[in-house]
Amino acid sequence: MTTAANVTVTPLTASAADAHGPSTTGAAASHRRGPTLPEQSLEHFNAAPPEAARRILLTCLRGPRWAHRVAAHRPYPDLAALLAAADEAAYDLGPGELTEALETEPPPVLPEDAYAAASTALDAAYAAYEARFGHAFALCLEDVSPDEAVDRLLAAIRSRLANDPEEERTVAAEELRRLARARLRRLLGDAGSPVRAPLSAS
């Protein structure tokens, strides 16, 4: 890995951010998280017209070819089969598709109060990351407890700022795959916390 030059992210801990209070840009970041998705079911997804199925998939990952490929292999006997197909298609995302998906990816979902409490740190971290790599930061926090989410997010940004651009695109692609998988599971299978769609999904 190469060391990121001339990039300063301060503060990079949630506790340090609390002392600074909320910022106006923190509120803007919160609005970028995308809409909450309606609940669906695998049966509904399997029976939906092709265009409707692709629209459902695009709320999980903004990759038209990915969505077309996953929709084309319906019906799926169970959620595990759908997730396996989604994974396989995600591994084949081309450079342009990855760029499009990252352009529309909202910030990671955090507890509502985290955006207010740590807005200074979050805004600084997101700004440094986007200045270095030119796209939004993608991170799946599905298995992270709400109490640890902000610190895990900030630590991940700090660590990944040391990547070179090609290394980071590989990491980001893996996070997009994990995000798509988590969104599909919550949307079509498990009940759970609200799911946030990519920004331009409709």
Side-chain angles (χ1 to χ4, degrees):
M1 290 186 181
T2 58
T3 302
N6 300 321
V7 176
T8 302
V9 183
T10 54
L12 273 180
T13 63
S15 57
D18 294 347
H20 292 266
S23 69
T24 55
T25 51
S30 179
H31 287 304
R32 291 182 56 218
R33 283 176 292 160
T36 300
L37 303 178
E39 293 184 2
Q40 305 284 340
S41 70
L42 183 60
E43 181 180 4
H44 173 270
F45 175 73
N46 279 334
E51 183 58 32
R54 287 192 290 270
R55 283 199 301 269
I56 292 171
L57 290 164
L58 288 171
T59 65
C60 299
L61 189 153
R62 196 70 180 177
R65 190 170 67 93
W66 174 84
H68 178 84
R69 179 172 170 181
V70 176
H73 285 84
R74 296 176 301 150
Y76 293 96
D78 51 37
L79 185 61
L82 170 60
L83 294 177
D87 281 347
E88 182 178 355
Y91 287 128
D92 290 338
L93 287 176
E97 294 168 310
L98 178 57
T99 296
E100 179 178 359
L102 288 169
E103 285 176 350
T104 58
E105 183 61 30
V109 176
L110 296 174
E112 286 296 329
D113 57 356
Y115 281 93
S119 60
T120 301
L122 291 168
D123 292 345
Y126 287 139
Y129 180 90
E130 292 182 16
R132 173 155 173 75
F133 298 113
H135 57 73
F137 180 75
L139 179 68
C140 182
L141 293 170
E142 181 187 23
D143 299 324
V144 177
S145 71
D147 291 342
E148 298 176 351
V150 172
D151 287 338
R152 184 74 65 87
L153 169 62
L154 293 170
I157 295 178
R158 179 174 54 194
S159 173
R160 287 165 56 180
L161 279 170
N163 290 344
D164 66 41
E166 285 305 310
E167 288 174 326
E168 181 54 27
R169 284 179 71 84
T170 299
V171 174
E174 173 61 13
E175 292 300 327
L176 286 176
R177 182 194 67 80
R178 295 181 62 223
L179 283 163
R181 184 182 179 89
R183 288 164 178 160
L184 278 171
R185 183 163 53 244
R186 291 176 180 173
L187 186 62
L188 301 177
D190 301 339
S193 58
V195 184
R196 299 292 179 178
L199 297 178
S200 61
S202 57

